[in-house]
Amino acid sequence: MITEFARNFPEISALLISATGMTLVVTLGSAAVATLLGLFFAYLASSRHAFLRVLSSTYVALARAIPTLSLLFLVYYGLPSFNIRLQPIPTALIGFGIHGGAYVTEIIRAALLSVPAGQREAALSIGMTPLQSMRYILFPQAGKTAIPPYFNYVLQLLKDTSIASAIAVPELMFRARGIANQMDLTDLMYLYAAVIYLALSLSLSRFASAVEKRLWTGMRAAQ
């Protein structure tokens, strides 16, 4: 087994590197969708209109309650019933994005609550609209608080992308399983994939730490 793995290592590595690129595409694309949804529903959650706040909380409750795999299956197998057919990659972006949007909404909402209420009142008192106060006053301050849990979410998303193999997205786990079945290298292939996930996770963690350190250094310099 080890001999066969070593003999085919260059070919295996090329396939897994390509699949790793797809894993990153799904991770970053899904995070982008989740971030847009999170910003939108966090804005609704801070609205003075009860209906908009209920709409935001309903979305968060439903998206968090439905497992990610169920969302992927609903989009991939359910939408064709309405004559809407999506390829696996767009399905993954939508499914992970909807699910992650609920968590990003809560991250941003909690960060906004950490900003003193007087900041918003002061912005409105000088003639800013609620949207302008969010953009120029509240979000820049809340962002520093939201960064650590947001990167934790992205890190978890990176690992959760392996679920996308269930709808044939050619990401890392999908390729590793295919090679393992084809060459009968199950243990070594999943170990190899785990090492790649570990390297990606550690790299993302170091990047997050660097961003946080830079933000805090900037805050201390501003003070």
Side-chain angles (χ1 to χ4, degrees):
M1 181 184 298
I2 297 178
T3 302
E4 183 178 359
F5 179 79
R7 184 172 62 251
N8 293 284
F9 184 77
E11 180 183 353
I12 291 173
S13 296
L15 290 172
L16 291 190
I17 289 173
S18 176
T20 300
M22 180 55 64
T23 292
L24 293 175
V25 167
V26 173
T27 300
L28 296 177
S30 300
V33 174
T35 301
L36 292 176
L37 289 174
L39 288 169
F40 176 70
F41 284 102
Y43 177 74
L44 296 187
S46 65
S47 173
R48 296 180 178 179
H49 300 286
F51 172 75
L52 297 181
R53 295 197 301 272
V54 170
L55 181 63
S56 176
S57 60
T58 301
Y59 160 71
V60 170
L62 290 177
R64 294 177 67 176
I66 301 175
T68 308
L69 185 59
S70 296
L71 274 174
L72 294 177
F73 283 168
L74 282 172
V75 175
Y76 193 63
Y77 296 111
L79 289 183
S81 300
F82 301 93
N83 293 321
I84 301 174
R85 299 181 183 277
L86 297 177
Q87 296 299 313
I89 295 174
T91 298
L93 299 185
I94 293 172
F96 285 120
I98 292 174
H99 189 262
Y103 290 93
V104 176
T105 297
E106 290 296 277
I107 289 170
I108 297 174
R109 186 182 67 83
L112 289 173
L113 289 176
S114 70
V115 179
Q119 296 283 335
R120 179 171 183 172
E121 295 172 2
L124 296 176
S125 69
I126 63 174
M128 284 188 176
T129 65
L131 186 59
Q132 288 175 327
S133 69
M134 282 283 188
R135 179 179 178 183
Y136 296 109
I137 305 298
L138 300 184
F139 277 142
Q141 297 182 64
K144 297 180 178 65
T145 304
I147 286 295
Y150 178 79
F151 273 114
N152 286 338
Y153 152 70
V154 176
L155 181 60
Q156 185 60 49
L157 174 62
L158 172 66
K159 293 178 285 188
D160 287 346
T161 54
S162 60
I163 300 173
S165 62
I167 56 171
V169 174
E171 47 75 57
L172 180 56
M173 188 56 65
F174 179 83
R175 289 300 185 201
R177 185 171 65 231
I179 296 171
N181 293 335
Q182 181 181 356
M183 298 185 176
D184 194 22
L185 299 171
T186 303
D187 295 341
L188 291 175
M189 285 309 308
Y190 288 137
L191 177 60
Y192 194 4
V195 170
I196 295 176
Y197 277 117
L198 177 62
L200 292 175
S201 298
L202 291 177
S203 299
L204 179 59
S205 296
R206 294 192 64 178
F207 175 74
S209 298
V211 171
E212 292 175 38
K213 183 178 180 180
R214 184 168 184 177
L215 285 175
W216 286 110
T217 300
M219 290 177 62
R220 286 195 296 268
Q223 294 173 354

